[in-house]
Amino acid sequence: GAGVSQSPSNKVTEKGKDVELRCDPISGHTALYWYRQSLGQGLEFLIYFQGNSAPDKSGLPSDRFSAERTGGSVSTLTIQRTQQEDSAVYLCASSSQGQALHFGNGTRLTVT
Amino acid sequence: GENVEQHPSTLSVQEGDSAVIKCTYSDSASNYFPWYKQELGKGPQLIIDIRSNVGEKKDQRIAVTLNKTAKHFSLHITETQPEDSAVYFCAATSYSSYKLIFGSGTRLLVRP
């Protein structure tokens, strides 16, 4: 079946603009994660959704970052007033509870 | 919270040789340890995982070992091939958690 799908694959934006990144998880996966990967670095946890529970937003770096998950499926990560330090690859992953995470190929965000 | 350290950051081996990547974790409650392989421009892909009730797991040329007392776990790749060249990440979490904490990654280069 289809894996985790992320769009766009690449996004270039000007400093100060807002961006939206989209994630389509694997059908039936109740858990959805967003991670950030800066150039040559590891994966930094951002936010976690599980079913209808309140999301864990503890990894969001500032209040410019927000995410939602509609209908327990598609998720959108929004970054407001982008800064150059927001440039990174944003990775989405989904899983069945207690099982391995399946990652998408990410959105490469460049803030100029 | 959990902290995962990974070594080395880069590893270059001759084709056919073995490669070993080591990780340590801090949270004694962690009991699930996956390894991911990330190729250029793609998201991380699970290659093997181990749970705390076993000390070793093998899958063809790949093996993972776990020492819970020392809080160490390692990835072993035997008979390396050029297609093994990638960045490898270890990670840790516990059944009571959901937040996968990643190491900083190891860039493996297999020289033909």
Side-chain angles (χ1 to χ4, degrees):
Chain A
V4 176
S5 178
Q6 292 188 244
S7 60
S9 55
N10 283 282
K11 177 70 176 179
V12 180
T13 190
E14 291 180 353
K15 178 182 174 181
K17 294 288 181 68
D18 298 352
V19 294
E20 285 189 353
L21 312 180
R22 177 187 168 101
C23 173
D24 281 278
I26 293 172
S27 178
H29 280 189
T30 56
L32 186 147
Y33 305 73
W34 284 96
Y35 282 82
R36 180 169 70 176
Q37 185 174 31
S38 299
L39 185 63
Q41 301 298 311
L43 284 74
E44 174 190 6
F45 169 81
L46 296 179
I47 189 169
Y48 163 81
F49 296 90
Q50 173 59 50
N52 295 320
S53 302
D56 177 352
K57 305 179 181 180
S58 62
L60 295 179
S62 77
D63 58 8
R64 296 186 296 105
F65 287 72
S66 64
E68 63 177 22
R69 188 179 185 191
T70 54
S73 182
V74 172
S75 178
T76 302
L77 177 68
T78 301
I79 309 173
Q80 297 179 310
R81 305 182 302 282
T82 52
Q83 304 295 312
Q84 288 188 331
E85 60 263 30
D86 299 334
S87 296
V89 175
Y90 290 83
L91 290 161
C92 176
S94 70
S95 74
S96 295
Q97 194 166 8
Q99 301 301 312
L101 272 64
H102 297 262
F103 284 87
N105 286 330
T107 293
R108 180 175 299 277
L109 175 66
T110 303
V111 182
T112 61
Chain B
E2 177 64 278
N3 182 51
V4 178
E5 295 192 356
Q6 183 172 349
H7 301 280
S9 57
T10 59
L11 179 60
S12 180
V13 300
Q14 192 70 37
E15 181 178 359
D17 288 349
S18 295
V20 180
I21 302 170
K22 299 182 179 181
C23 289
T24 61
Y25 60 99
S26 61
D27 188 352
S28 57
S30 289
N31 50 21
Y32 175 61
F33 309 92
W35 285 87
Y36 285 82
K37 175 183 181 181
Q38 187 176 29
E39 297 177 331
L40 195 62
K42 296 188 176 181
Q45 182 176 17
L46 179 73
I47 56 172
I48 194 167
D49 57 11
I50 191 168
R51 298 186 187 272
S52 60
N53 56 340
V54 297
E56 183 176 5
K57 183 176 178 181
K58 289 184 179 180
D59 183 4
Q60 299 183 345
R61 295 185 297 108
I62 293 174
V64 57
T65 59
L66 172 64
N67 182 331
K68 286 210 70 180
T69 302
K71 298 182 191 171
H72 289 171
F73 58 114
S74 299
L75 177 71
H76 304 253
I77 306 174
T78 59
E79 301 173 25
T80 53
Q81 301 169 4
E83 52 265 37
D84 295 329
S85 295
V87 179
Y88 292 81
F89 292 96
C90 63
T93 190
S94 67
Y95 291 133
S96 62
S97 177
Y98 44 77
K99 194 181 301 184
L100 205 54
I101 304 300
F102 286 83
S104 55
T106 296
R107 184 172 299 278
L108 174 64
L109 174 64
V110 180
R111 306 186 305 274

